Amino acid sequence: MKKLIFLFIGFVLNFMNAQTTTEMVKEETIWQNFKYDMGSIGGGVGYSFSRPLHWKKKDWVNFAGFTVGTIILNLADDEINSWVNGIRSEIPEGLKEFGNHYARPEGNFSLSGAVYLTGLFIKNEKVRRAGVLMMASTISGGVIQQFGTRIIHRARPLTGKSSSNYSIGHFEKVEGYDSFFSGHTVLSFANAYAIGKQFKNPWVKAGIYTVGMIPGFTRIIVSKHWLSDVVFGTVMSIVIVESIDKYLDSKYKAKYNNNDKKVSWNLSFAPGQIGLNISFN
C-alpha cells in the first residue's frame, strides 16, 4: 500500500512539473525560499481563521443555509448507515486500507511535503506554492476539525448509537463521540483539491478528486463517520483551500487562475431531496 501511495506522489509531481512554465529564480537561495514559504504557511493559516470576521451578509446567509442543509442531511444518516451495513462485506479490503492510511497525518504530510520539497529544490515557484497551499490548508482544516469534535461530541456509528446522539457541554475528549466532522475527509480532500487546481483538464481533476474522496467513503464503510460528517468535511476543505489560495495570490507571482477566487453555494430543497450547488470563479 505504501508503494501505491508513493507511486501516486511521483505521478502528481511529474505531471505538475510538466504543466508549469514558471521561470526559476536563481538569485534566491533555497534557505531564503524556505523561510519565505514557512511564513506564507503561517500567514495562510491565520488568514483562513480570520475570514469569518470579514464575511458580509451574503456570506453569513450562505453559511447559515449550509448549516441548515447539514442538519437536514443528518435525518438520512441512520438510513444510509443501515444500507452501508448491507454492502460492507463487498468493499475490497485494499480500498479500505488505502482510504485509512492515505488520510492519516503521516500520509497527508508525506504527500504535501514531497510536493513542497520538490518545488523548493528544483526552484519551481508554482510547485512550491502548491505545497504551501496543501500544508496550510490541511493545518487549518485539522485544527478546525479538532475543535469541532471537542465541542459537538457526536457519536460514531460504531458505538451503536443513533446519528442524533450528542454529548455537548464540555471540551474533554470522549471515546466514540468524535464523529463530526470527518478529519480524514478534510485532510485527504484538501490535498486533492489543492492538487487539482494545478490542472485545467477536467478528466485529470476528476481523477484526483476521486482519489481524494476515497478516505471519506471508506470512513463511512467502516462505521467511523456518518454521511453528513463526510459531506461537511468535504465542503469545509474546499472553502479553506479557496480562502488560502486567494491569500497566496498576494505572496507568489505564480498563479493557477488569473480570475478572482470566489466560492459560493446555493441550497435547494424539495420533497425528499436536498440539492447543494457549489461554484468557483
Side-chain angles (χ1 to χ4, degrees):
M1 185 55 58
K2 291 183 178 179
K3 291 182 179 179
L4 180 60
I5 294 175
F6 283 115
L7 284 173
F8 176 68
I9 292 173
F11 167 77
V12 169
L13 292 176
N14 288 333
F15 208 160
M16 288 173 62
N17 193 41
Q19 294 259 321
T20 184
T21 58
T22 304
E23 295 181 356
M24 295 181 180
V25 184
K26 296 182 180 179
E27 64 271 15
E28 294 180 348
T29 66
I30 289 177
W31 176 243
Q32 288 173 325
N33 284 336
F34 177 78
K35 291 191 295 182
Y36 184 84
D37 295 336
M38 294 302 104
S40 297
I41 291 175
V45 172
Y47 184 88
S48 67
F49 289 160
S50 68
R51 282 309 84 202
L53 299 176
H54 301 276
W55 282 359
K56 298 179 180 179
K57 181 178 179 180
K58 182 179 179 181
D59 298 310
W60 285 109
V61 169
N62 285 336
F63 180 75
F66 176 62
T67 302
V68 171
T70 301
I71 294 173
I72 294 175
L73 184 60
N74 288 349
L75 301 177
D77 279 333
D78 288 308
E79 183 176 346
I80 291 172
N81 187 58
S82 297
W83 175 76
V84 168
N85 288 334
I87 66 168
R88 183 171 289 113
S89 60
E90 301 176 13
I91 305 300
E93 290 298 322
L95 184 65
K96 290 187 283 189
E97 183 182 353
F98 174 78
N100 184 47
H101 286 284
Y102 167 63
R104 283 181 176 178
E106 58 268 29
N108 162 71
F109 286 107
S110 293
L111 175 58
S112 58
V115 172
Y116 172 69
L117 290 175
T118 298
L120 179 67
F121 285 108
I122 68 174
K123 295 186 177 180
N124 186 309
E125 186 179 302
K126 184 176 180 181
V127 179
R128 272 175 51 215
R129 173 177 168 165
V132 168
L133 176 60
M134 293 166 70
M135 287 189 279
S137 298
T138 51
I139 290 172
S140 296
V143 171
I144 294 173
Q145 187 270 341
Q146 285 297 306
F147 271 97
T149 57
R150 291 296 182 92
I151 294 173
I152 297 176
H153 290 293
R154 187 185 195 188
R156 292 183 184 272
L158 55 77
T159 63
K161 307 290 185 179
S162 72
S163 61
S164 60
N165 192 285
Y166 295 86
S167 179
I168 302 175
H170 55 89
F171 196 71
E172 295 80 12
K173 182 176 181 179
V174 180
E175 188 68 27
Y177 279 78
D178 49 358
S179 184
F180 188 84
F181 48 99
S182 172
H184 278 65
T185 299
V186 170
L187 295 181
S188 64
F189 201 77
N191 269 340
Y193 189 73
I195 293 173
K197 291 176 71 67
Q198 320 304 311
F199 307 100
K200 295 181 179 180
N201 189 309
W203 294 105
V204 174
K205 285 178 177 288
I208 295 173
Y209 294 162
T210 298
V211 173
M213 292 176 68
I214 291 175
F217 169 75
T218 58
R219 298 297 280 177
I220 296 173
I221 293 298
V222 298
S223 296
K224 290 296 183 69
H225 287 288
W226 309 94
L227 175 63
S228 58
D229 300 334
V230 172
V231 171
F232 191 90
T234 300
V235 177
M236 280 294 297
S237 64
I238 293 172
V239 173
I240 290 170
V241 171
E242 287 290 339
S243 174
I244 294 177
D245 198 30
K246 182 177 181 179
Y247 167 79
L248 295 180
D249 275 346
S250 65
K251 305 291 289 183
Y252 294 90
K253 294 179 181 178
K255 293 178 172 58
Y256 316 132
N257 188 342
N258 292 326
N259 299 323
D260 291 336
K261 295 175 173 60
K262 299 178 180 178
V263 182
S264 62
W265 57 80
N266 294 301
L267 285 165
S268 59
F269 302 94
Q273 295 181 343
I274 303 173
L276 174 63
N277 178 43
I278 305 174
S279 61
F280 310 100
N281 300 315

